[in-house]
Amino acid sequence: MDLNPVRSQFPALAQTLGEHPLCYLDTAATSQKPQRVIDAINEYYQRDNANVHRAAHQLSSRATAQYEAVRDAVQGFIKAERRDEIIFTHGTTEGFNLLAHGLSATIEPGDLILLDSAAHHANIVPWQMLAKATGARIQPIPLDKTCRLDQAAYQELLAQKPAIVSLTHVSNVMGTRNPIETMLAQARAAGAITVVDGAQAIAHLRVDVTRLGCDFYLFSAHKMYGPTGIGILYGRFALLDTLAPLLTGGEMIKQVSFEQTTFNTLPNRLEAGTPPISAVIGMGEAIAFLNELPRVQIQEAESELLHYLQQSLKALDEVELIGAHPDNIGAVAFNLKGEHHQDVGILLDQQGVAVRCGHHCAMPLMQTLGLKGCCRASLGVYSNKDDIDRFICALKSVIELLQP
Ligand SMILES: Cc1ncc(COP(=O)(O)O)c(C=O)c1O
């Protein structure tokens, strides 16, 4: 499939760094943005800029209509049953903080919270705060030798009747994909509140939260071709409605006196203050962009490309792959044997190749794997075979330089 028509919609990809055309393999950190997303944000500021929900004037009506239309678009995009199950957050991280704080009244001393060993810090630290505040316990679901979650150990942990099970849909480090359909069904059967970090899945897989049957699903727009500063906390209404707000003030109130405050209904109750209106509008345009793509073919093309990337790296003796499986999504983690990941990243950058190096906000995973860090090459809808060939060529010259 020719992905060039898609690629040409991303202006940042057309640049050169020094004499090298940009080879962008850091989409898992943040995706590039298509022109239409950039234009939608500009148009809002040039024509419709006003605060939402509040004023009687036409600009505010236009801004509010656009803002709330995006809620409908998100509802359709992830197939939520109700529009008030969609909460705008500043991103996945804020969503987890809101969620963990909001569940504090539900959790009791000694309750068990099961976490994914490959989790991003955003899906660890807020739970630690909750555990500290309530006396709950945290237990990671261990990895097996192939860097996937150990399903037998998971069954044993579920037998302890955890209160919360928070899984990663797709690992931001290795691109490994958890069998969340099965794992969520098992967690539900054990009576747990189920949470999915969808930050790395949302741009690659078609997500249906109703079919998944999870209680909460979180993601960020900037990893799905939208702007930074906006994300989604989806929650099944009955549970979402029980969450205590993290932030207060603004449109989340119904009635305020100096003695007391009553809160608004969902979704406003969990969206305090002036929201990031332009970012919401940009996210709506990113959803329209994704909806217009032939998602099934794109998913197949992305999977073929990832396989090509894995095989090309595997062919190099100096490369050590981490958790690479044929059904992974969007990313490959690797190290050059005996070399520091940061050196590799800097030398690749000098040839115009952008990869991510470090702990990838997954320090517990690095500890489990016995690594200080690693490099990660990640793909987006605009990536092509030429990117991978250029990356491999640059990596070979890094190897020659470091290991002459
Ligand atoms: C799996 C995963 N979870 C959570 C996050 C945090 O997302 P954000 O920084 O947009 O809040 C990321 C970002 O890298 C991620 O990859």
Side-chain angles (χ1 to χ4, degrees), residues 91-93 120 122 172 197 199-200 220 222-223:
T92 310
T93 305
H120 186 282
N172 63 304
D197 180 347
Q200 293 296 337
S220 303
H222 71 94
K223 295 183 194 286

Side-chain angles (χ1 to χ4, degrees), residues 28-29 90-94 96 119-123 168 170-172 197-200 219-220 222-223 356 360-361 376:
H90 291 105
T92 310
T93 305
E94 189 197 309
F96 271 111
H120 186 282
H121 297 162
N123 190 10
T168 314
V170 170
S171 156
N172 63 304
D197 180 347
Q200 293 296 337
F219 55 99
S220 303
H222 71 94
K223 295 183 194 286
R356 177 85 180 262
H360 308 279
C361 296
R376 176 191 66 193

Side-chain angles (χ1 to χ4, degrees), residues 69-131:
V70 178
R71 202 185 304 279
D72 296 328
V74 175
Q75 181 197 351
F77 188 62
I78 61 169
K79 307 215 167 17
E81 277 180 0
R82 305 168 53 138
R83 70 186 308 279
D84 50 8
E85 293 180 323
I86 305 300
I87 305 298
F88 291 125
T89 64
H90 291 105
T92 310
T93 305
E94 189 197 309
F96 271 111
N97 278 275
L98 194 170
L99 179 58
H101 170 85
L103 286 171
S104 52
T106 315
I107 298 304
E108 294 183 352
D111 275 355
L112 179 61
I113 302 173
L114 290 190
L115 298 183
D116 190 322
S117 277
H120 186 282
H121 297 162
N123 190 10
I124 300 174
V125 185
W127 300 121
Q128 277 174 350
M129 306 286 281
L130 174 64

Side-chain angles (χ1 to χ4, degrees), residues 167-307:
L167 301 168
T168 314
H169 200 162
V170 170
S171 156
N172 63 304
V173 181
M174 305 173 289
T176 42
R177 176 184 184 169
N178 282 325
I180 56 161
E181 288 83 355
T182 312
M183 293 182 78
L184 286 170
Q186 291 164 338
R188 268 199 311 278
I193 293 171
T194 54
V195 184
V196 182
D197 180 347
Q200 293 296 337
I202 195 74
H204 300 283
L205 303 173
R206 280 168 311 147
V207 171
D208 180 335
V209 290
T210 305
R211 201 171 51 79
L212 283 177
C214 54
D215 292 312
F216 297 99
Y217 194 96
L218 303 93
F219 55 99
S220 303
H222 71 94
K223 295 183 194 286
M224 48 175 280
Y225 314 110
T228 51
I230 181 69
I232 299 297
L233 167 66
Y234 155 81
R236 195 164 55 77
F237 186 85
L239 257 179
L240 188 67
D241 205 28
T242 66
L243 295 191
L246 175 63
L247 300 174
T248 54
E251 207 55 35
M252 61 79 64
I253 60 92
K254 190 176 267 169
Q255 194 74 41
V256 179
S257 70
F258 278 111
E259 287 71 42
Q260 63 168 7
T261 299
T262 51
F263 296 146
N264 209 336
T265 51
L266 288 178
N268 304 61
R269 191 168 64 77
L270 296 175
E271 293 175 3
T274 298
I277 305 162
S278 61
V280 169
I281 289 167
M283 180 180 203
E285 198 59 36
I287 289 175
F289 164 74
L290 281 168
N291 281 342
E292 286 170 28
L293 291 178
R295 297 286 304 275
V296 175
Q297 284 125 295
I298 294 269
Q299 203 172 310
E300 278 166 16
E302 282 188 353
S303 163
E304 255 177 49
L305 204 58
L306 183 73
H307 200 233

